[in-house]
Structures are given as C-alpha cells and as structure tokens.
Amino acid sequence: MPKSLTPPLRKLKDEIEGHAKEFGLDFFDTRFEVVSYDELNMVAAYGGFPTRYPHWRWGMEYEQLSKGYEYGLSKIYELVINNDPCYAYLLESNSDVDQKLVMAHVYGHCDFFKNNFSFRHTNRRMIDDMANHATRVRRWVDKIGVEKVEDFIDRTLSLENLIDQHAPHIRRNPDPRRAEDEMKSNERVEGFKVDREYMRGFINPSEFLDSQRKRVEDEKQKAKKFPERPQRDVLQFLLENAPLEPWEADILAIIRDEAYYFAPQGQTKIMNEGWASYWHSTIMTRRALKDDEVIDYADRHSGTMGTRPGSLNPYKLGIELWRDIEDRWNKGRFGKEWDECDDLRARRSWDKKLGQGREKIFEVRKHYNDITFIDTFLTAEFALEQKLFVYGFNDKRNSWEILDREFRKVKNKLLQQLTNFGQPIIEVVDGNHENRGELLMAHKHDGQDLKSDYARETLRNVQSLWRRPACIITRYDNKGVLLRFDGQNHTEKKIDL
Amino acid sequence: MSLRIHQDHSRFKQIVRGKIKSNLRKYVQKGEMIGKKGKDTISIPIPFIDIPHFKYGHKEQGGVGQGDGEVGQQLSPGAVQPGDGHQAGQGEGDHNLEVDVTLDELAQILGEELRLPNIERRQNEKIVTQKIRYTGVNTTGPESLRHFKRTYKQALRRQIAMGTYDASRPIIIPTREDRRYRSYKLQELPETNAVIIYMMDVSGSMGDEQKEIVRIESFWLDTWLRHQYKGLEARYIIHDAVAREVDRDTFFHTRESGGTMISSAYKLCRDIIKADYPKSAWNIYPFHFSDGDNWSADDTRQCIEMLREDILPGVNQFAYGQVESPYGSGQFIKDLREAVGDATNVALSEIADKDAIYPSIKDFLGKGR
C-alpha cells in the first residue's frame, strides 16, 4: 500500500517545494505517496485513480505496463492527478536525484493544473467522484449482473471520445423537454370557424384545408427534427434521447463525466509536459542539484527529451517552445518591428534586453491550449532549428517517409493533429432520420478517412444504445458514404455531398 | 501483497482466454503460432480487444516528426509511433494486442474447447525423483541455512527473559545458542514419464503441404501431452523405403523420393521402445503420418503383424494420421481399420487439409488414452 513520505523524502520535498514557490509557481497543496513498481503500474493503469470502477481494460493496461517494464521498454517516472489537493506518486526504488527531479516536475504540473484556463472547470474533487463512480458501478453490478454491466461499459467506452472536446466545460442541464411543442403540433386543422354548416365548403374550401394541414404537418416535421443544430456532444444527446434504462443512463453519465475530466489533459499535453519539464530543469540546474548528481540528472533528463524521427515527443517540443518564448521575450524578438525585419544579421544579433521572458511564459501558461499555443508561438525559425517535418505513408514503397519540411505544412499538420484531440469530429445531425427514428451522425471530413472496420464496430455500439438503426455520413476516397447499422446488418450507400 | 488491479487483471485474462478459445480453430489451422513459441509461453495475437472508436487510420493520418533527414527519406521501421501519444496515458493506435499464454494454459484451452478427456495413465508413479522441502527449524545446521529472523527473535526472547534488553538502545546480539537453521526433508516425488514417437513418411508423394499439416498437428499433440505428463520425451523417425531416426528439425524438413516401406518405420519404432522405454515405466505414444501409400500388400501385412504382436500391447495408444495427397491411394488406413480398427488403443484419422487438423486432434486425443 502507498506509504507516506519517509523523513529524508519529506526533507527533499520541502526543499523542492520551497524552490518552486520561490520561482513563482502557484499550486494546490501537493501530496506525494511512495509506491512500489507494481503499485505505480496499477495506479497508472487506472489513469491515476486507484479507486476507479472495475473494468477489464485497466487489467489490460496493467498487463501492458508491467510487460513494458519487464522487457525494459518503458518506465513510468511521474504520475500526477489534477485534484485539490494534487496527488503524485514517487517510486520507492528511485534514487534521491530522481525523486527531486520528479518532485520538481510534479510542481510544474500542479501549477499548470491550477492556472491554465482549460482546467478551470475540471472537477477538483475527482478523487472522491471517481470513488463514487466506482460505488455506483458496483451497485449496478450487484443488481444487474456483472456481464450485463461490463458489456454496457464496453459499448459506452467505444463512444467516449464523442464529446464536445473543446467545449469549455461539461454541460449538465438538458434542454427542456419537448412535451409542450408536442402538444401544440397535435392541434387538428379545422379551418376558420363556421357558424352555418352549409357555408363550410365556401369558407373552408378543401384546397385551403389541405394546404393548412400540410403546413401543420410540415411544422410537425420540423419540430420533430432534433437536434435543431448539429450536436457535438453525442454522449449528451444519447443520454437525453436514447431509451436507456436508469442503470444504463447512470453508467453513460459516468463515462461522460470522466471523459470531460480527462479532455483538458489531452488538449494541453505539449504545453503541460513542456511546462513541467521546463520547471524540473530550471529547479534542478539552478538550485537543487548537488555536484555528484549532475551525471545522473543529465542522463535522466536527456532520456525524457529523446526524440525519434517518426513521432513527436511532447516533453521535448514543449520545453523547447517554452524556452524559445522566454528567450524571444527576453530579447524583444516579437512585434511589428521584428516581424518586418528581414536583415538576417540584425535578426541574429537582436537583443533589446527587455527581460520579459519569465513574465511572458507565466502569462502564456494561463491562457493557451496546445492549438493556440502552437498557432501563436511556433515560428519558422523554431521549426527549422528543431528539425520538424511532416511524414506520411508511402503506399508504393510500403513505408513511412519524410514528406515535407516546409514550415507552413509542418504547422498545419501539427494543428490538424491537435484539433479535436486528433480525433474525427462527429456530430448528431438528426435523431429522427427519414422520419423513422433513426439516428444520423455526420463526420466532418477534413481530408482523412475514418478507419472503416472501427467505424462499423462503433456504429454497432451506437445502435445498441439508440435501439434503432444508426447511420453516419462520411467520406471514403472522396466519395460520400452513408454507413448504416440496423441491429442486424451493415449497409453502405453512396450519397452526394 | 494483493493489489486491487488483480481483479481487473484476471478479468482481462479471462476475456483473453475466451478470445483464444473462440479463435482456437483458426489458430489450430495456422502454423504461425509455432514460430512464436518461446520456452514455456507462446505469443498469441488477439484480434479486436481494442475498444473500437471512430478514429482515423494512422496511415491516412501521418503526422509531424522531429529529426534529421532529407525529404523522401524513409523512416526506419519502428520509428513511427501510432497515435503519437497525444492522449494522456492511453495507448491509442493500431497495435495488435499480443498476449503471452503459457503452453500449459494453451493445452487447457485446447482441452476445454475440444472436450478432451484427461489421459488415463497407464504407468503411474513408477519413476521417483527426490526433492528438497524445507519443513522446519532446527538448532543445528550449516551456516548457509541460518534463519536470520528466527535467530534474532530467539536472541530477543533470551535478552528480555534475562533482563538485559534495553529498549532505548535496542541492540540484539545472538549467541551460539540462539542460532536457528532451516531444516529440510527429502521428499520423494513420483513422476510419470511419457514418450512420443513420431513417424513420418517422407517419400516423394508427401509434399510440403502434407508435411506442414503434420508439423502443425504434432505441435498440438505435443502441447497436450506435455500438459498431461511432466517430462515428455519425443523421438523422430522418418522413412521412405528405409527408416532412420533423426532430430526434430530434420524430421520436418527432409524430403526424399522413392518408395515407401512403412514396415521399416514400425520396425525401428519397435526397437526404440524395446531399447529405451520399458513399458513398465513409460507411457508410450507412437504417432505415424503418411499419405496412405505403401509399397506392397505384403509390407502392409508385416506392419499389421508388428502392430499386433509388438507395438500395441506395450503402448498407451497408437495413432495413425493419413494426410491426403494427390498421389496417394489412401489404402493404408483402410487396411488398418480392417485389421486393428477395433482395438481400444488405436486411433485413426484422415486429414484432408488444414481445416481437418482441428477434428483430427480430437480423433487422436479424444479417447483419453
């Protein structure tokens, strides 16, 4: 079981915390727990929350983490939970220098959690809520049976990314029910009031009545078209409109809650890891490092910052960007004058000795997420210096290759990767498709096709919640396609977009 | 220490097991598993335990990378990481889950799925090995077996009893009398031994496909029998017109041409049993595979005679698998069926193609002998 800090670790913690505060980091109270490797793998498998609801996929994560460790492929160094107080884990077998590095890194994260705008609406008592979720799930398991509950969770998890990723925070209040509209549209068409029965044919000629009926019918249709606007939060839509049993709705709500809780971490991965790395390196090299620890520290630090050509290390990209921003604002390399200067020599020696770097990065860590961060601060010089490139798959050679080093393309690709979490944007467009109660979703195609076997399987899960046929409009090879699953069969229809 | 994750972990393993079970027929037919065999475990790729999402195919997506290289330069395999890790703590991507399953567990799954009975051992507890078991604590013994905890406990007990223990300065010094040692007993463990004698026709009519079938089938037979017996031995005989004993590798990769004299193999099999595996101590399993073509009716008669007289009385089960080949007449199995088909310890199976391996395993192992 997790242990609290030993006196020597407590001393280290106080020291590092002091440095962090001195540098102006601002964080919730931070609690460290000391765990063994097995325990760390477990906690990581649960996404940081050892009290999470029971499910086999944590077991799968655990298997993979433990295997990765056994084979020496990976080792988890730090694990922090966005909560008030913040919780973080220390590996009991780590050396002092590792512990200091992890602590310094953790304070960076905690500061980020507390101050970055994306986290403002996250649940800071998530530890408690996760435990409550687990209790609720267990209760349903006792009542409904483990097989049914697990099966439902599996299907729901398949949809967990169908939330409004960039919504500022989770919306809880459902739109008012449509009962009233329903009442209104059920009025019968009588035409004008008729006092004398023989006049009826003249006052309300049948063409007129027919047209009136048609109008009401049309309105009814329109009213039935819901949602009125496409809805990005598919989970919310299902929660409000799918014929779910109470236990199903409860579990769906839990999955949705947790998805929203984790969303900001996905949206700020580069900033957040970069920020924590910036601070561990600053605190360690300026304050905490003893002479005999330098080699070990450098080894660990460079291990974290290592890059491989075909992937982007958020730690590395992040820390370099933060340093670049700090440097530019220290030297005044921004603004109109800088942008318009095309004298290479002048640019190289440009230093206005503004010294605003530190202040700037603190401000940036508050108001940006990865997309706006990259969009605003990734410069052509930086991309060149960091040797960024776009890669893609070459079908003819059956291999990955470097496609382009042009700045615009690199930046666009990066932004595209970050938009919506690097996931397809999917909306509910019609909950009464074809007037048959079918669910119609649309994939906002941005040049990348959906992985088709996964799309079918997922559609199957949507259908099972909606209990009527589920469809999605997407594109394959630039042609519009409507995928439909009716509970038995998958069909595919070409459509014009 | 028991971690909470163990519940979820074992649930995961249970699901994996179910997946393996439901795909077993496919795995049995495919030879690829044999290549992934480690010492005690085998890696099995599990399809679709990834929870499906609406997502991009990574190949469509590409991404941004970092490092040296010209445009157009290939990235080394493995350099590209699917999913790019933008999702905190979640391994999204095209990874196919590979699970390590012990051969023992695989055998269990095979047994459950094919409803194989456990083998009735003919020879039981004849061979005995000795094993050391540490059973207690003694006051004498070699220093290498000193029991530190018990020693110090004893010393503490003595010091407290003598009133020399000072709680503010808790130093405990064991004396000679305090020392405790682990004591052991030699335990006799009965072990049952078994041998498989594989025989295969490698004459010209047995093509690569036929041999592949034998290879796959023998993998499963091995796995099952190894699960039933500790200390399983295997011997390999190949034959065309003459028979010789070879190692496993040669067994599966030799191709000869020429005629077929099955009796030569049976003769060698008989001799091997006689020389090395007294039936009083061994469970014996001869497996013979051929395409059913024999040199002459006379040779077949010899085979049957040898089976009746020498082989069948001493073995748990004699199994003959006839692999269909375009050249073979397939006569041999008919002759066997007629002559010894009624014997309880004979299993005959016709294997038309890879699809037939699965039922054929049941033919061979279904009797529980």
Side-chain angles (χ1 to χ4, degrees):
Chain A
M1 281 300 99
K3 291 174 267 301
S4 51
L5 296 183
T6 56
L9 276 177
R10 162 125 246 137
K11 230 179 100 195
L12 288 184
K13 182 206 146 155
D14 290 343
E15 184 200 332
I16 301 294
E17 190 175 333
H19 295 317
K21 280 193 173 140
E22 188 199 330
F23 277 116
L25 293 182
D26 164 34
F27 37 82
F28 299 123
D29 181 25
T30 302
R31 314 232 168 116
F32 288 94
E33 282 178 356
V34 183
V35 291
S36 68
Y37 225 96
D38 241 13
E39 288 168 323
L40 190 62
N41 283 337
M42 171 185 85
V43 176
Y46 282 120
F49 294 90
T51 55
R52 231 162 159 187
Y53 62 85
H55 192 259
W56 59 265
R57 88 173 153 153
W58 318 130
M60 179 166 76
E61 288 286 334
Y62 176 75
E63 164 114 356
Q64 286 174 343
L65 289 170
S66 322
K67 231 192 228 168
Y69 176 60
E70 270 171 44
Y71 299 161
L73 297 174
S74 61
K75 186 173 172 189
I76 306 164
Y77 263 96
E78 39 103 15
L79 198 61
V80 202
I81 301 178
N82 165 32
N83 196 74
D84 183 8
C86 261
Y87 280 87
Y89 296 89
L90 294 175
L91 192 57
E92 72 187 346
S93 57
N94 271 354
S95 63
D96 277 3
V97 60
D98 283 341
Q99 306 291 30
K100 284 198 279 190
L101 186 152
V102 170
M103 287 172 183
H105 192 92
V106 162
Y107 284 115
H109 279 310
C110 298
D111 168 83
F112 197 85
F113 287 148
K114 187 175 171 188
N115 293 288
N116 181 268
F117 85 104
S118 316
F119 291 89
R120 194 167 307 146
H121 298 282
T122 52
N123 184 350
R124 309 288 192 181
R125 288 179 304 114
M126 201 56 184
I127 292 212
D128 302 342
D129 277 31
M130 285 282 186
N132 289 339
H133 291 171
T135 314
R136 269 152 72 190
V137 170
R138 287 215 171 80
R139 209 173 291 153
W140 291 124
V141 165
D142 290 343
K143 216 165 169 179
I144 311 286
V146 62
E147 294 286 335
K148 272 176 103 173
V149 171
E150 186 181 67
D151 180 56
F152 186 76
I153 293 177
D154 287 355
R155 282 181 278 144
T156 319
L157 283 175
S158 162
L159 314 178
E160 72 180 336
N161 60 340
L162 301 179
I163 57 174
D164 196 349
Q165 299 281 6
H166 286 286
H169 58 98
I170 185 166
R171 274 208 358 234
R172 279 168 206 283
N173 292 335
D175 297 320
R177 286 272 167 195
R178 296 170 185 279
E180 272 177 54
D181 303 347
E182 200 76 0
M183 295 266 279
K184 256 194 254 160
S185 62
N186 276 342
E187 288 165 26
R188 280 183 54 211
V189 177
E190 303 282 359
F192 292 110
K193 196 167 169 251
V194 180
D195 289 332
R196 297 175 191 84
E197 199 50 37
Y198 65 87
M199 294 286 282
R200 180 176 293 277
F202 298 96
I203 295 172
N204 291 317
S206 61
E207 309 88 77
F208 171 70
L209 277 185
D210 284 347
S211 73
Q212 285 300 83
R213 266 189 211 110
K214 193 167 176 327
R215 190 182 54 81
V216 170
E217 203 48 44
D218 281 353
E219 256 165 36
K220 229 181 183 171
Q221 280 303 325
K222 226 188 271 165
K224 263 195 191 151
K225 177 160 168 72
F226 71 101
E228 279 155 24
R229 267 166 278 115
Q231 187 167 334
R232 285 278 290 279
D233 192 336
V234 180
L235 290 190
Q236 189 189 27
F237 186 84
L238 289 171
L239 210 46
E240 285 164 11
N241 298 298
L244 301 169
E245 307 270 331
W247 67 272
E248 293 175 320
D250 192 33
I251 284 171
L252 183 58
I254 287 173
I255 301 294
R256 179 169 171 265
D257 260 15
E258 299 196 359
Y260 270 101
Y261 169 79
F262 284 113
Q265 303 193 19
Q267 291 153 19
T268 55
K269 181 106 178 150
I270 295 171
M271 282 182 88
N272 197 350
E273 290 305 352
W275 184 251
S277 302
Y278 174 92
W279 283 108
H280 84 229
S281 102
T282 305
I283 290 173
M284 289 301 278
T285 54
R286 308 256 168 99
R287 297 280 188 282
L289 213 48
K290 287 194 210 127
D291 291 350
D292 61 348
E293 293 172 340
V294 171
I295 302 282
D296 284 335
Y297 165 77
D299 182 42
R300 217 68 80 223
H301 178 76
S302 57
T304 323
M305 297 301 143
T307 57
R308 298 198 293 172
S311 66
L312 211 56
N313 180 346
Y315 294 79
K316 172 72 175 167
L317 182 67
I319 193 174
E320 294 298 347
L321 262 170
W322 285 115
R323 283 180 174 156
D324 189 53
I325 296 169
E326 186 179 27
D327 186 57
R328 284 169 57 204
W329 261 261
N330 273 338
K331 295 180 174 161
R333 296 181 170 201
F334 60 91
K336 195 161 181 282
E337 206 184 329
W338 164 259
D339 288 339
E340 284 170 3
C341 170
D342 42 19
D343 178 355
L344 221 72
R345 224 165 350 141
R347 274 177 90 94
R348 216 168 274 155
S349 58
W350 192 289
D351 188 357
K352 300 203 153 175
K353 303 227 165 12
L354 286 186
Q356 294 173 355
R358 204 38 84 65
E359 196 187 324
K360 181 66 183 176
I361 59 173
F362 270 98
E363 179 201 316
V364 170
R365 72 100 154 75
K366 224 177 198 154
H367 301 298
Y368 290 78
N369 62 23
D370 278 352
I371 290 185
T372 51
F373 185 62
I374 298 284
D375 195 28
T376 316
F377 299 107
L378 187 85
T379 62
E381 275 114 336
F382 181 86
L384 193 67
E385 205 175 286
Q386 293 297 319
K387 302 177 178 169
L388 300 182
F389 59 78
V390 178
Y391 67 84
F393 197 76
N394 184 332
D395 283 323
K396 277 185 208 132
R397 289 211 274 179
N398 195 33
S399 70
W400 297 92
E401 64 182 41
I402 298 177
L403 292 183
D404 215 317
R405 283 188 181 274
E406 211 240 302
F407 171 61
R408 272 288 126 209
K409 294 204 175 130
V410 168
K411 190 162 175 173
N412 282 343
K413 185 83 216 173
L414 198 49
L415 289 173
Q416 187 191 36
Q417 254 178 304
L418 294 169
T419 301
N420 201 45
F421 225 170
Q423 310 218 18
I425 295 177
I426 290 177
E427 303 174 324
V428 176
V429 286
D430 194 352
N432 186 26
H433 181 50
E434 306 261 321
N435 201 19
R436 285 192 305 231
E438 300 187 5
L439 185 70
L440 178 67
M441 293 172 292
H443 166 217
K444 286 186 139 181
H445 200 278
D446 59 353
Q448 308 173 70
D449 293 353
L450 294 178
K451 193 165 165 20
S452 63
D453 50 345
Y454 275 58
R456 275 167 213 279
E457 285 298 314
T458 313
L459 202 55
R460 179 187 283 271
N461 291 331
V462 175
Q463 189 277 335
S464 80
L465 265 66
W466 187 247
R467 303 209 166 112
R468 296 274 313 142
C471 318
I472 184 166
I473 295 174
T474 180
R475 259 192 248 180
Y476 282 112
D477 300 325
N478 241 338
K479 287 185 203 85
V481 177
L482 182 105
L483 302 177
R484 181 170 178 271
F485 181 72
D486 63 6
Q488 307 271 316
N489 300 304
H490 286 284
T491 48
E492 202 176 312
K493 205 169 71 185
K494 278 190 186 129
I495 49 164
D496 293 322
L497 288 177
Chain B
M1 178 189 53
S2 145
L3 294 177
R4 220 172 66 78
I5 191 84
H6 288 163
Q7 220 182 328
D8 291 329
H9 195 208
S10 65
R11 178 69 190 132
F12 164 66
K13 283 195 182 151
Q14 216 179 319
I15 289 170
V16 166
R17 209 165 189 268
K19 285 260 175 198
I20 295 176
K21 238 173 157 175
S22 63
N23 285 302
L24 191 68
R25 184 178 274 272
K26 208 176 75 202
Y27 292 137
V28 166
Q29 286 157 22
K30 280 194 183 167
E32 63 187 50
M33 273 176 94
I34 304 168
K36 293 195 167 164
K37 192 174 154 234
K39 193 165 162 284
D40 306 308
T41 59
I42 191 159
S43 310
I44 300 178
I46 301 290
F48 252 115
I49 208 154
D50 221 4
I51 295 173
H53 288 104
F54 285 123
K55 67 176 195 180
Y56 301 126
H58 186 56
K59 281 193 183 171
E60 321 263 335
Q61 205 176 356
V64 174
Q66 192 169 9
D68 293 316
E70 299 290 313
V71 167
Q73 181 176 318
Q74 279 172 282
L75 301 175
S76 59
V80 175
Q81 227 183 6
D84 258 340
H86 279 303
Q87 219 161 350
Q90 263 164 297
E92 280 283 343
D94 294 336
H95 61 250
N96 215 339
L97 189 65
E98 286 220 344
V99 200
D100 284 349
V101 179
T102 62
L103 286 170
D104 219 35
E105 208 174 354
L106 190 63
Q108 261 176 35
I109 294 170
L110 180 76
E112 281 168 29
E113 197 52 18
L114 281 172
R115 297 209 192 82
L116 298 179
N118 279 323
I119 286 176
E120 269 177 52
R121 288 164 185 191
R122 206 171 46 89
Q123 305 304 339
N124 241 343
E125 303 178 9
K126 282 289 198 274
I127 291 192
V128 166
T129 51
Q130 288 188 324
K131 203 185 162 196
I132 290 173
R133 276 178 65 100
Y134 293 95
T135 48
V137 175
N138 213 334
T139 50
T140 56
E143 285 305 299
S144 60
L145 289 181
R146 193 162 76 200
H147 196 314
F148 282 89
K149 201 168 165 186
R150 293 291 274 272
T151 301
Y152 275 86
K153 231 177 179 170
Q154 191 59 35
L156 177 64
R157 196 178 285 165
R158 178 181 49 78
Q159 285 187 351
I160 290 172
M162 288 167 67
T164 56
Y165 177 74
D166 178 3
S168 64
R169 228 176 138 261
I171 293 175
I172 297 161
I173 304 158
T175 65
R176 177 69 260 197
E177 289 73 43
D178 297 327
R179 293 198 183 161
R180 292 294 179 272
Y181 302 87
R182 283 166 219 277
S183 69
Y184 63 85
K185 267 190 191 143
L186 276 180
Q187 220 185 22
E188 306 210 313
L189 291 177
E191 203 173 273
T192 37
N193 277 347
V195 61
I196 304 181
I197 301 166
Y198 286 111
M199 292 169 272
M200 177 161 56
D201 177 3
V202 292
S203 67
S205 55
M206 286 285 284
D208 286 342
E209 199 182 324
Q210 281 76 28
K211 271 189 271 181
E212 172 74 359
I213 287 173
V214 174
R215 199 162 81 99
I216 295 171
E217 181 131 5
S218 68
F219 166 79
W220 291 98
L221 298 173
D222 256 11
T223 302
W224 177 251
L225 287 173
R226 224 171 270 281
H227 172 61
Q228 299 280 329
Y229 295 105
K230 299 265 175 289
L232 184 78
E233 282 188 21
R235 304 284 287 261
Y236 301 91
I237 297 171
I238 54 175
H239 72 89
D240 43 19
V242 285
R244 62 194 166 106
E245 190 178 357
V246 294
D247 60 25
R248 183 183 172 85
D249 202 48
T250 320
F251 183 77
F252 288 116
H253 296 105
T254 306
R255 178 155 194 185
E256 310 276 336
S257 54
T260 312
M261 300 260 272
I262 296 178
S263 64
S264 65
Y266 288 10
K267 223 173 267 165
L268 186 52
C269 170
R270 178 194 65 188
D271 296 344
I272 288 175
I273 293 174
K274 212 174 258 170
D276 297 338
Y277 305 102
K279 65 177 182 182
S280 57
W282 288 81
N283 293 280
I284 304 166
Y285 294 88
F287 281 94
H288 177 220
F289 297 94
S290 92
D291 60 1
D293 240 2
N294 202 6
W295 181 254
S296 64
D298 187 47
D299 193 71
T300 301
R301 253 194 305 282
Q302 275 191 48
C303 291
I304 288 167
E305 204 182 292
M306 231 178 315
L307 277 177
R308 281 205 182 120
E309 305 285 315
D310 302 318
I311 298 180
L312 290 184
V315 302
N316 294 46
Q317 175 174 285
F318 170 82
Y320 172 68
Q322 187 159 294
V323 191
E324 201 171 281
S325 98
Y327 312 106
S329 65
Q331 181 58 39
F332 194 64
I333 197 168
K334 292 178 199 149
D335 296 337
L336 283 184
R337 206 171 273 145
E338 210 168 284
V340 293
D342 295 336
T344 46
N345 63 346
V346 170
L348 306 172
S349 179
E350 278 177 277
I351 315 160
D353 49 24
K354 282 191 181 177
D355 289 350
I357 294 175
Y358 192 75
S360 157
I361 290 173
K362 175 112 182 157
D363 287 343
F364 283 152
L365 302 173
K367 286 184 173 177
R369 296 210 147 257

